[in-house]
């Protein structure tokens, strides 16, 4: 099997498994307990928090562990907007956000907030001028993802954050796909809030975090015990949190070892090879400002679903747009927002490479995929 769906999820790295096993076997305490077993679990959680904050580049910041990127996005959008209700009732999201941001924004609309969606250009890049025109003194929150999960386009979040701040609004960025792969802006331009998820980095599924700059206030969205400094009720999932820490450590180390550059070289090899070998294939997303491992291609004359199934039969795992929409026949809201022609939207396939991808796998893909596309086109 050739796994090219790292944006959906990534395999657990052995370092992560080892860290989690140590906790599963020996550190079973509840971090809220006052006895030695509890204190040991608490120390593991606090150590993980320090590691994540230091990887973000803000050791003094706040970090709330969550059940993943979806919960972090929900907490950010609802929690930040509600905490600032006194200031205003307007929030702004980009039209290419993950549903984990778009749907909480819709829920806020029902609570009386005004929601503006700012569009993107044909490469999927946020229209900064439109953002500038949309922000008002009533705007409490602007949420723009760091990198898009479907096409990989990296957004100008430093510029977007500056526009939000100029009107006193907070700036949140969903960094689920970018964290550990693309550097964050320097501290003065860093978002006020960031959503993270462990399973995109070789960590376990079901754990993530919301980073908040020091002093940023948030209204909790989940009620219960006083966990996570009263901001997220529920006993901390210690093994998952420790797994997330290991994944974050690993990505910091791999950045130094130039792993993202190696992934980029493989993606370029796949991109160049497919464009040469398959007539009428086009790249979706920004030509250069893109996640190193993401390649979204449209093969005109095919539907993405048919190609996905045909490639699966050949042992190649890919995706059509967002994983959460697979099984649905709805066209991708991201490609639609980029105003791509209908056949380009229909025929799109996402290849996403990661640390485990090899040159041999890409070479095999370059032999198999052109043949499969030709067969599907003829059918
Ligand atoms: N945000 C983006 C950009 C994503 O790609 C995903 C997952 O695909 C999520 C949020 C949701 O993260 P999780 O799967 O951890 O809930």
């Amino acid at each position: 099997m050739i796994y090219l769906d790292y944006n959906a999820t990534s395999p657990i790295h052995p370092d992560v498994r080892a860290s989690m096993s140590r906790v599963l076997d020996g550190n079973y305490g509840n971090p809220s307990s006052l006895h030695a077993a509890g204190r040991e679990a608490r120390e593991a959680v606090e150590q993980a928090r320090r590691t994540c904050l230091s990887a973000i580049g803000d050791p003094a910041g706040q970090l709330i562990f969550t059940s993943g990127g979806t919960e972090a996005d929900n907490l950010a959008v609802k929690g930040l907007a509600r905490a600032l209700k006194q200031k205003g009732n307007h929030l702004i999201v980009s039209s290419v956000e993950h549903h984990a941001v778009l749907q909480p924004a819709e829920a806020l609309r029902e609570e009386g907030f005004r929601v503006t969606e700012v569009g993107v250009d044909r490469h999927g890049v946020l229209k900064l001028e439109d953002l500038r025109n949309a922000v008002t003194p009533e705007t409490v929150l602007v949420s723009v993802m760091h990198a898009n999960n479907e096409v990989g386009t990296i957004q100008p979040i430093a510029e977007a954050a500056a526009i939000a701040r100029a009107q006193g609004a907070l700036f949140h960025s969903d960094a689920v796909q970018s964290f550990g792969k693309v550097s964050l802006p320097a501290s003065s331009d860093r978002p006020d809030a960031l959503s993270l998820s462990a399973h995109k980095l070789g960590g376990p599924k079901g754990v993530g975090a919301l980073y908040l700059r020091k002093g940023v206030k948030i209204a909790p969205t989940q009620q219960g015990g006083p966990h996570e400094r009263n901001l997220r009720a529920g006993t901390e999932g210690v093994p998952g949190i420790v797994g997330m820490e290991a994944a974050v450590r690993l990505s910091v180390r791999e950045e130094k070892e130039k792993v993202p550059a190696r992934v980029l070289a493989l993606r370029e090899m796949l991109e160049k090879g497919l464009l040469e070998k398959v007539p009428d294939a086009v790249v979706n997303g920004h030509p250069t400002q893109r996640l190193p491992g993401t390649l979204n291609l449209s093969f005109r004359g095919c539907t993405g679903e048919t190609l996905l199934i045909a490639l699966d039969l050949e042992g190649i795992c890919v995706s059509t747009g967002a994983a959460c929409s697979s099984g649905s026949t709805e066209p991708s809201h991201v490609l639609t927002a980029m105003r791509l022609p209908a056949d380009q939207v229909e025929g799109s396939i996402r290849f996403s490479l990661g640390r485990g991808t090899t040159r041999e796998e890409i070479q095999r893909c370059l032999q198999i995929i052109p043949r499969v596309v030709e067969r599907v086109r003829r059918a």
Side-chain angles (χ1 to χ4, degrees):
M1 188 177 90
I2 302 176
Y3 186 78
L4 295 182
D5 204 10
Y6 275 79
N7 286 16
T9 197
S10 58
I12 293 263
H13 190 276
D15 287 8
V16 171
R17 186 177 299 112
S19 297
M20 290 180 75
S21 292
R22 276 195 294 276
V23 174
L24 284 166
D25 291 339
N27 189 350
Y28 47 79
N30 181 328
S32 300
S33 297
L34 297 179
H35 47 62
R39 289 198 307 273
E40 197 187 334
R42 166 63 49 208
E43 181 42 34
V45 170
E46 296 314 317
Q47 177 57 48
R49 204 185 312 279
R50 287 192 291 273
T51 300
C52 294
L53 284 170
S54 130
I56 289 167
D58 184 11
Q62 315 171 64
L63 194 94
I64 306 167
F65 285 112
T66 65
S67 65
T70 299
E71 188 190 327
D73 281 342
N74 270 265
L75 179 57
V77 173
K78 292 181 181 163
L80 293 172
R82 287 177 186 156
L84 287 168
K85 223 160 57 188
Q86 303 306 326
K87 175 188 180 269
N89 73 340
H90 181 223
L91 68 131
I92 300 177
V93 296
S94 91
S95 54
V96 293
E97 293 303 301
H98 193 273
H99 287 112
V101 165
L102 293 177
Q103 293 197 7
E106 274 312 304
L108 287 177
R109 201 195 289 274
E110 313 221 320
E111 284 178 25
F113 279 88
R114 196 163 65 78
V115 182
T116 306
E117 261 190 30
V118 173
V120 295
D121 67 14
R122 70 192 169 92
H123 295 310
V125 180
L126 183 80
K127 291 182 174 165
L128 285 171
E129 210 37 54
D130 289 4
L131 176 64
R132 202 168 278 117
N133 293 332
V135 189
T136 74
E138 274 69 53
T139 310
V140 288
L141 177 67
V142 175
S143 181
V144 178
M145 68 202 323
H146 192 193
N148 184 266
N149 44 306
E150 293 192 38
V151 294
T153 297
I154 297 168
Q155 299 294 355
I157 57 168
E159 291 82 347
I163 293 171
R165 286 202 189 113
Q167 291 279 12
L170 288 178
F171 185 78
H172 164 251
S173 189
D174 174 340
V176 164
Q177 291 290 347
S178 62
F179 189 62
K181 297 171 192 156
V182 180
S183 310
L184 284 164
S187 61
S188 53
D189 295 326
R190 195 184 305 117
D192 301 297
L194 287 167
S195 298
L196 315 177
S197 176
H199 73 104
K200 313 288 183 180
L201 293 173
K205 295 167 184 59
V207 58
L210 179 66
Y211 155 84
L212 298 174
R213 194 188 277 277
K214 190 175 172 199
V216 169
K217 298 270 183 292
I218 191 159
T221 53
Q222 186 160 299
Q223 277 67 48
H227 311 92
E228 296 296 276
R229 298 177 176 85
N230 287 312
L231 298 177
R232 195 267 183 182
T235 300
E236 296 86 347
V238 184
I241 288 172
V242 167
M244 176 162 180
E245 176 189 16
V248 169
R249 273 188 200 282
L250 183 70
S251 54
V252 170
R253 195 180 80 209
E254 284 186 342
E255 206 176 335
K256 292 193 188 110
E257 292 168 357
K258 308 249 182 299
V259 172
R262 190 185 68 78
V263 172
L264 174 63
L266 291 176
R267 183 202 85 197
E268 284 174 341
M269 179 180 162
L270 180 66
E271 180 170 335
K272 192 164 165 281
L274 288 178
L275 291 176
E276 269 169 24
K277 287 173 182 238
V278 183
D280 223 5
V282 273
V283 177
N284 303 315
H286 197 278
T288 55
Q289 290 304 303
R290 194 162 16 119
L291 284 172
T294 304
L295 172 62
N296 189 310
L297 280 180
S298 285
F299 300 97
R300 291 210 182 89
C302 301
T303 66
E305 279 79 16
T306 318
L307 257 182
L308 182 148
I309 294 163
L311 290 173
D312 189 30
L313 288 171
E314 300 274 349
I316 302 176
C317 301
V318 297
S319 161
T320 55
C324 63
S325 68
S326 62
S328 97
T329 48
E330 286 290 297
S332 144
H333 73 282
V334 174
L335 301 182
T336 307
M338 288 159 64
R339 297 185 190 281
L340 301 183
D343 60 343
Q344 202 167 322
V345 173
E346 258 204 349
S348 120
I349 285 282
R350 180 187 71 188
F351 302 92
S352 47
L353 292 61
R355 58 165 69 95
T357 309
T358 64
R359 205 181 154 78
E360 292 68 39
E361 286 179 327
I362 299 302
Q363 278 164 343
R364 276 183 51 212
C365 283
L366 290 176
Q367 284 163 0
I368 298 169
I369 297 169
R371 183 164 48 74
V372 172
V373 174
E374 201 192 315
R375 201 175 63 219
V376 169
R377 277 179 172 161
R378 265 195 277 112

